[in-house]
Amino acid sequence: MDLVPALEEPLRQPLKSVLGPATAKVMAEHLGLLTVGDLLHHYPRRYEERGQLTHLADLPMDEHVTVVAQVADARLHTFASAKAPRGKGQRLEVTITDGSGRLQLVFFGAGVHKPHKELLPGTRAMFAGKVSVFNRRLQLAHPAYELLRGDPEESVETWAGALIPIYPATAKLESWKIGKAIQTVLPTAQEAVDPLPDTLREGRGLVPLPEALLKIHRPHTKADIEDARSRLKWDEAFVLQVALARRRHADAQLPAVPRKPAPDGLLTAFDARLPFTLTDGQQRVSREIFDDLATDHPMHRLLQGEVGSGKTMVALRAMLAVVDAGGQAAMLAPTEVLAQQHHRSVVEMMGELAEGGMLGGAEQATKVVLLTGSMGAAARRHALLDLATGEAGIVIGTHALIEDKVQFHDLGLVVVDEQHRFGVEQRDALRGKGKQPPHLLVMTATPIPRTVAMTVFGDLETSVLDQLPAGRSPIASHVVPAADKPHFLSRAWERVREEVENGHQAYVVCPRIGDEEDDPKKSAKKKSPEDEAEKRPPLAVLDVAGHLSKGPLQGLRVEVLHGRMHPDDKDAVMRRFAAGETHVLVATTVIEVGVNVPNATAMVIMDADRFGVSQLHQLRGRVGRGSAPGLCLLVTEMPEASPARQRLGAVASTLDGFELSRIDLEQRREGDVLGQAQSGARTSLKVLAVIEDEEIIAQAREEATAVVASDPELTHLPALRTALDALLDEEREQYLEKG
């Protein structure tokens, strides 16, 4: 929140030649820090006390870390290599310790001389680098370091006091350099304008913003850090909730056509056809939706439910209610495979009720059309005509629905499947197709804890389906440590064979496709020992499928499915798999959402540590969809003590998606909650922890709603208005687009 001119000063103009142009450039390109205000709001991730050490045992893989530790020993080795054939290559291995764990540092070539002189046993220093695994041990290759000497005149002492702030850093700019830059601009913190209304700040006993900024960067005590964090958390929670409250307020002013189902219409006929009873949850959520549809301003509801909890059924009943009331309903799916599948299952569930205008169609029937980018011109023309005339009551499609050419007769409801794949803009574009704003129902199978729903989906009301329909089978999940116990992997393939022999099918999921062009520049280079120390690339669908067909699964029908295949080929593969003609489908995560093959009972996820917790849970939900029990095997080569293995252990230990989403959030950095990790945008949450700070978020939501109700334009709160503009400026607009 770059609030005032002094704080808006660009870092690129050397401030009284404070930051050199090179540092300013790295800050802009790698950390997204453009102004003095940005830099002041780049808070320490944690603090090191001089007498205490980092937990080396808990280091995350593949991340840039900063640790404070002591050198236990240092050894210089010589070796022969392509560059130094006479055994003149040099490698310095330094072991550092913090009392709880040990970590190896490696320096090569000419880079060994300085650390060999400086990193003597007993020396304490800050080390920064990327954590990798080599020979199954954690290591940092070529870390940057800053020695910590006990001498009170030493530079670290002058800028750190007793608590050393450790900043989120990059390979190009270490934490201690960022700390020095912040110390330089810290005096301007006095000019920060406070976005919190005085009554709120005083009522909640929060320190003023300038004081909070000083205390977070130069704390003298732990109490200083606490004061600063509580204050800065409130800023983040409150400004964000004001943005969402204003969006809700604006939406509530929009007019909408109330849609009440006809008493003996399509919905009644559909319910009469159902071969089962809806669960209590489905009935409760349907009532909430029908109440919203009956009002004269647009419904904005998020429907979240576990994989297989029957969300599609609830959405379909809402669509039928709108068609009953004379409107049309559109369902937007993130991929063609999923749109085709939704279309098939809706038509199957509706039977003759989906045959409007056709011979044999029921009296109340409507037409259900599919609209995707890869359709032939004739089929597309036909579908567009059915939509424009109102002949089709229900349309299911991909982004193709948003195009200008698509006209509706009377769009009454938009259902968005898998919300995290659609931005607010896309929702708005589709909503703009109605004569008046249509009602909106957003569905997600990713379980979202309440506070995340309040932050990420704060402009939507939430309904939760937490019961699974009868007849669903449990899924057993196990971690397969391929490196520690190779025979476990052989047994995994035997289990897949057993499932196939029992008449079932299996998925094998890989992180990569495998037809990526090799970069000739990269492959031409000889691998240096440093490169060798990097991890191997993730396993690929095409390689694994070939290996399985010739090896452990020889004789079974194995097919591949991935995102770069032609849509018709994808559909053909899915149809063969659904029909039981293919035994094993080796796929990327294209199967993550919505693919429904009840006969598939086993799933083997290769390199499972490369996937997030929620994604693993989603993938696992593809098996055990019929009456036979499901089996999910998580294959990994990560060492037993690694955080990745603990994460996989958590997934294997519970099927409760809400529990897993909490674990996921606690393990990932907060900003990623908002989808930022994927979009590459800067995260707007720096100190607010969505899980721990549930209370602050709930209170901020109440305060924000009250402020917006009494002053929607924030006329009397100019500083809040400025903070809001900063949150919503173009660069950060993506934040509210939910990734």
Side-chain angles (χ1 to χ4, degrees), residues 398-457:
T398 53
H399 289 76
L401 283 177
I402 301 171
E403 288 172 13
D404 293 344
K405 294 192 204 76
V406 182
Q407 299 293 325
F408 288 86
H409 176 64
D410 178 14
L411 181 60
L413 170 67
V414 174
V415 178
V416 179
D417 190 21
E418 285 311 318
Q419 161 61 19
H420 58 284
R421 295 167 187 239
F422 289 105
V424 168
E425 274 174 25
Q426 292 160 315
R427 282 183 357 200
D428 287 349
L430 191 52
R431 278 169 29 185
K433 303 262 180 205
K435 294 189 174 66
Q436 281 197 325
H439 298 281
L440 174 71
L441 179 65
V442 164
M443 301 197 294
T444 177
T446 310
I448 304 166
R450 175 173 160 256
T451 40
V452 181
M454 277 195 282
T455 37
V456 187
F457 301 106

Side-chain angles (χ1 to χ4, degrees), residues 226-458:
E226 212 34 60
D227 283 354
R229 288 177 71 84
S230 333
R231 163 60 218 244
L232 295 167
K233 280 179 179 188
W234 256 95
D235 275 19
E236 286 180 10
F238 180 69
V239 175
L240 174 56
Q241 289 301 337
V242 167
L244 294 166
R246 292 188 68 205
R247 193 174 170 94
R248 287 196 303 274
H249 184 269
D251 284 343
Q253 310 309 308
L254 296 171
V257 179
R259 309 279 178 175
K260 293 182 180 163
D264 286 315
L266 187 55
L267 181 62
T268 313
F270 175 75
D271 284 348
R273 285 181 49 94
L274 284 180
F276 52 82
T277 342
L278 296 175
T279 64
D280 294 347
Q282 286 174 315
Q283 291 179 6
R284 183 192 72 246
V285 171
S286 288
R287 278 196 300 276
E288 292 171 352
I289 291 171
F290 291 154
D291 288 349
D292 282 359
L293 289 174
T295 61
D296 55 8
H297 56 87
M299 162 171 85
H300 291 108
R301 190 165 281 283
L302 171 69
L303 169 57
Q304 50 167 339
E306 283 282 14
V307 171
S309 57
K311 292 184 299 299
T312 313
M313 173 60 69
V314 169
L316 177 55
R317 292 184 73 239
M319 294 199 287
L320 296 175
V322 169
V323 175
D324 250 355
Q328 290 169 294
M331 182 184 239
L332 196 54
T335 63
E336 297 217 350
V337 169
L338 195 52
Q340 287 162 339
Q341 184 158 324
H342 275 318
H343 181 254
R344 270 203 299 277
S345 62
V346 163
V347 169
E348 274 166 26
M349 285 195 274
M350 286 175 65
E352 71 236 26
L353 296 174
E355 295 170 3
M358 295 184 233
L359 277 174
E363 184 191 343
Q364 305 94 328
T366 186
K367 235 186 205 177
V368 180
V369 300
L370 176 69
L371 191 63
T372 65
S374 64
M375 281 168 78
R380 191 178 167 78
R381 243 192 339 269
H382 212 97
L384 290 172
L385 189 65
D386 283 345
L387 287 181
T389 58
E391 183 93 356
I394 293 177
V395 57
I396 294 167
T398 53
H399 289 76
L401 283 177
I402 301 171
E403 288 172 13
D404 293 344
K405 294 192 204 76
V406 182
Q407 299 293 325
F408 288 86
H409 176 64
D410 178 14
L411 181 60
L413 170 67
V414 174
V415 178
V416 179
D417 190 21
E418 285 311 318
Q419 161 61 19
H420 58 284
R421 295 167 187 239
F422 289 105
V424 168
E425 274 174 25
Q426 292 160 315
R427 282 183 357 200
D428 287 349
L430 191 52
R431 278 169 29 185
K433 303 262 180 205
K435 294 189 174 66
Q436 281 197 325
H439 298 281
L440 174 71
L441 179 65
V442 164
M443 301 197 294
T444 177
T446 310
I448 304 166
R450 175 173 160 256
T451 40
V452 181
M454 277 195 282
T455 37
V456 187
F457 301 106

Side-chain angles (χ1 to χ4, degrees), residues 629-642:
L631 171 70
C632 178
L633 301 174
L634 306 167
V635 179
T636 177
E637 293 188 357
M638 284 289 117
E640 192 160 358
S642 62

Side-chain angles (χ1 to χ4, degrees), residues 646-667:
Q646 289 159 8
R647 207 171 65 227
L648 295 178
V651 174
S653 68
T654 176
L655 291 172
D656 179 344
F658 284 93
E659 178 54 31
L660 285 174
S661 68
R662 289 185 81 94
I663 293 169
D664 195 16
L665 287 177
E666 281 159 9
Q667 293 204 341

